[in-house]
Amino acid sequence: MKDFDLLFEQNPVFSALSEDKKQLVKKTGISKRFSKGEMIAIDGDIWPYLFLITKGNVHALKSSMEGRNLVVTTFIEGDIFWGLAFFYEHMPMPVSLEVAVNTSIMLWSAENLVPILKSEGASAWELSRLMVYKMMRASEILEEMTFQPVAGRLAKLLIDTVRNQQNGPVTRSLTLDEMAARIGSTREMVCRFLHRFADDGIIDITRTEFRVMDSQKLALVAQNTKG
Amino acid sequence: MKDFDLLFEQNPVFSALSEDKKQLVKKTGISKRFSKGEMIAIDGDIWPYLFLITKGNVHALKSSMEGRNLVVTTFIEGDIFWGLAFFYEHMPMPVSLEVAVNTSIMLWSAENLVPILKSEGASAWELSRLMVYKMMRASEILEEMTFQPVAGRLAKLLIDTVRNQQNGPVTRSLTLDEMAARIGSTREMVCRFLHRFADDGIIDITRTEFRVMDSQKLALVAQNTKG
DNA sequence: ATAATTCTTTGACTTTAGGCAAATAAATGG
DNA sequence: CCATTTATTTGCCTAAAGTCAAAGAATTAT
């Protein structure tokens, strides 16, 4: 866990503030802790806050009226996020924020923070950029969900998972349900495709771990080359 | 077509500028015209501009490597939009911008406009809000495409179409292909569901026009009530 | 008006995804 | 270590969406 001051300084929005505003902002922030599984805010809430994660991970998730969930994105230490109501008074949250592991955040209300941001062009500008970045991510997800079949999305997920690991066999850290939530499918489908990949020699898989055998082929599947 | 000055003043980002900056911005804008079907920018382009539509309509569309297209949103007179590279130097466009009808725009390069926005907190703040709004729309689209079946998406499209029309029979202004592009499906599917709706007494349809007969039922279908 | 083109409509068939249920393996808590 | 719970794996079946092809109607160009 990094120091709060460090994370604060590393954030483009906060670091663009003038010194005195920085101090003011630091003072008005409220520190909170959540345990795994708790919800910071729920889809539909009017939640006029902006927060910085000082430790842990938070999932942004959408859920349909049936059971299916989609983990749209995961926020990590140092990230900031907000409720729509931070920007538009009466707007409801488009996602729920679920705490993935024990997490600490620093929280600001719109009431306190907005006047400060408005007064500092550089900071507001950085905020715009951040938004654009999030929008880009949303756009990518939309594209994947719309045009990519399940196999491609799963392949992409595997690549992302392995990227952060060493090369050898990897303990399966996500359950099938968790993988399914990340690609917008079901555990059964994920299971089937994993084994299909294994049949094709792309991965090796046991009930508890897996290893990418042919990352090239995997990349092809992720790019939808149905060869 | 409204006067450019009026549109400029009505735009939250520009209207938040101070008077002298407004004049400066107006001077640096470049006016352009496009005819129906022309592309302002193409998916993947590095396009560091922001524009205001002074007349006409522009579609933002994603396309998969097969034929399928998705009209993510339509910009109308008074709207502003931008390339990602306006905010992040090397970032490619996530969508193509296709001119839907003859259109005039006013165009600003990042080089000219960014320094001005940065210097004015209120304006940059409005830009952030605009982003948030777009993000919200993207989020809605994602949710619809992911959790709503085709029938629901089509019902919603019909409701939106009729909203902007009088009550009686409406000339079918969109082709099946155009409708399909807006809901992320195919012309055949759209055709089938339209006729299914007709069988259910929800709409009346001929080859050239249609009329909503039971807007309540239509709304139910749009909300996924499968009853 | 006629021909050419563009749209619409339908039927038959394929693919993709998902649901349900049962069997089995692993992990967890006494 | 045993019992219980949680995950994984598969087979079988259904539903949703899409493709292909062909026929017919409207529109546009000549």
Side-chain angles (χ1 to χ4, degrees):
Chain A
M1 170 180 178
K2 288 194 193 170
D3 182 53
F4 165 67
D5 285 300
L6 183 57
L7 290 173
F8 188 89
E9 281 300 334
Q10 282 177 348
N11 184 281
V13 176
F14 292 130
S15 74
L17 291 167
S18 60
E19 262 322 307
D20 53 331
K21 292 286 169 64
K22 277 186 196 168
Q23 295 313 317
L24 183 57
V25 168
K26 282 187 187 175
K27 248 188 306 195
T28 53
I30 301 160
S31 173
K32 290 216 171 194
R33 303 166 140 282
F34 294 89
S35 337
K36 175 171 177 174
E38 278 190 275
M39 306 298 274
I40 298 179
I42 295 181
D43 195 345
D45 283 359
I46 310 294
W47 197 71
Y49 298 95
L50 180 148
F51 65 95
L52 169 68
I53 299 184
T54 53
K55 177 168 168 295
N57 297 281
V58 174
H59 289 157
L61 51 88
K62 283 192 171 301
S63 45
S64 65
M65 44 261 87
E66 301 99 64
R68 313 215 1 237
N69 273 20
L70 177 64
V71 176
V72 176
T73 187
T74 301
F75 302 109
I76 64 171
E77 191 172 297
D79 284 349
I80 66 179
F81 198 62
W82 51 80
L84 276 191
F86 185 84
F87 294 89
Y88 290 93
E89 275 197 25
H90 51 291
M91 290 282 189
M93 294 286 297
V95 294
S96 298
L97 298 175
E98 180 178 347
V99 170
V101 302
N102 290 4
T103 293
S104 304
I105 67 176
M106 190 65 89
L107 193 68
W108 289 270
S109 70
E111 196 178 14
N112 288 329
L113 191 52
V114 169
I116 298 174
L117 293 176
K118 265 192 190 172
S119 71
E120 301 243 347
S123 187
W125 168 253
E126 289 302 331
L127 190 56
S128 299
R129 295 186 81 218
L130 191 57
M131 300 293 175
V132 168
Y133 185 78
K134 304 270 186 209
M135 214 170 67
M136 190 189 69
R137 289 285 311 127
S139 174
E140 284 171 11
I141 294 171
L142 178 62
E143 188 163 334
E144 282 163 24
M145 295 291 296
T146 311
F147 293 133
Q148 282 268 9
V150 171
R153 308 207 295 271
L154 180 59
K156 185 150 179 295
L157 177 64
L158 290 183
I159 291 170
D160 290 346
T161 304
V162 173
R163 190 196 317 290
N164 316 323
Q165 313 271 338
Q166 63 286 43
N167 209 329
V170 181
T171 303
R172 288 168 59 170
S173 55
L174 296 176
T175 66
L176 295 174
D177 275 320
E178 287 167 333
M179 298 178 103
R182 277 173 180 72
I183 66 173
S185 182
T186 62
R187 70 166 148 274
E188 294 96 333
M189 278 293 129
V190 170
C191 185
R192 279 169 194 144
F193 278 108
L194 283 177
H195 287 276
R196 184 177 307 177
F197 290 167
D199 291 346
D200 295 349
I202 297 174
I203 64 175
D204 250 14
I205 189 166
T206 73
R207 219 151 161 144
T208 52
E209 54 182 39
F210 79 98
R211 177 212 295 255
V212 174
M213 302 302 283
D214 187 340
S215 53
Q216 204 137 29
K217 261 196 207 165
L218 189 60
L220 281 183
V221 177
Q223 284 160 41
N224 185 26
T225 313
K226 331 182 169 181
Chain B
M1 169 182 180
K2 288 193 192 171
D3 181 55
F4 165 67
D5 285 298
L6 182 57
L7 291 174
F8 188 89
E9 280 301 334
Q10 282 178 348
N11 184 282
V13 176
F14 292 130
S15 73
L17 291 168
S18 60
E19 262 320 307
D20 53 332
K21 293 286 168 63
K22 276 185 195 169
Q23 295 314 315
L24 181 56
V25 169
K26 282 187 187 176
K27 250 189 304 198
T28 53
I30 300 161
S31 172
K32 289 217 172 196
R33 302 166 140 282
F34 294 89
S35 336
K36 176 172 178 174
E38 278 189 274
M39 307 299 274
I40 297 179
I42 295 181
D43 196 345
D45 283 0
I46 311 292
W47 196 71
Y49 298 96
L50 180 148
F51 65 95
L52 169 67
I53 300 184
T54 52
K55 177 169 168 294
N57 296 280
V58 175
H59 289 157
L61 53 88
K62 284 194 171 299
S63 42
S64 64
M65 44 259 87
E66 302 98 63
R68 312 212 8 231
N69 274 19
L70 177 66
V71 175
V72 176
T73 186
T74 301
F75 301 109
I76 63 172
E77 191 173 295
D79 285 349
I80 66 178
F81 199 62
W82 49 81
L84 277 191
F86 185 84
F87 294 88
Y88 291 92
E89 274 196 25
H90 52 290
M91 290 282 190
M93 294 286 298
V95 294
S96 298
L97 298 174
E98 179 178 346
V99 170
V101 302
N102 290 4
T103 293
S104 303
I105 67 175
M106 190 65 89
L107 192 70
W108 288 269
S109 69
E111 195 180 14
N112 288 329
L113 192 51
V114 169
I116 298 174
L117 293 176
K118 266 191 188 172
S119 70
E120 301 242 348
S123 188
W125 168 254
E126 290 301 331
L127 191 55
S128 298
R129 295 186 79 217
L130 191 56
M131 300 291 177
V132 168
Y133 186 78
K134 304 268 186 211
M135 213 168 69
M136 190 189 69
R137 288 287 310 129
S139 174
E140 285 171 10
I141 294 172
L142 177 63
E143 189 163 331
E144 281 162 25
M145 295 290 298
T146 310
F147 293 133
Q148 282 268 7
V150 171
R153 308 206 297 271
L154 180 60
K156 185 150 180 295
L157 177 64
L158 291 183
I159 291 171
D160 290 346
T161 305
V162 172
R163 191 197 315 292
N164 316 322
Q165 311 271 338
Q166 63 287 44
N167 209 328
V170 181
T171 303
R172 287 169 60 172
S173 54
L174 296 176
T175 67
L176 294 174
D177 275 318
E178 286 167 333
M179 297 177 103
R182 277 174 181 72
I183 65 173
S185 182
T186 62
R187 69 166 149 274
E188 294 95 334
M189 279 292 131
V190 171
C191 185
R192 279 170 193 143
F193 278 109
L194 284 178
H195 286 276
R196 185 178 304 177
F197 290 167
D199 291 346
D200 296 349
I202 298 175
I203 63 174
D204 249 14
I205 189 167
T206 71
R207 219 148 163 152
T208 53
E209 56 181 37
F210 79 95
R211 178 212 295 255
V212 175
M213 303 302 283
D214 187 340
S215 53
Q216 203 136 30
K217 260 196 208 163
L218 189 60
L220 281 183
V221 177
Q223 283 161 40
N224 185 26
T225 313
K226 336 184 168 185

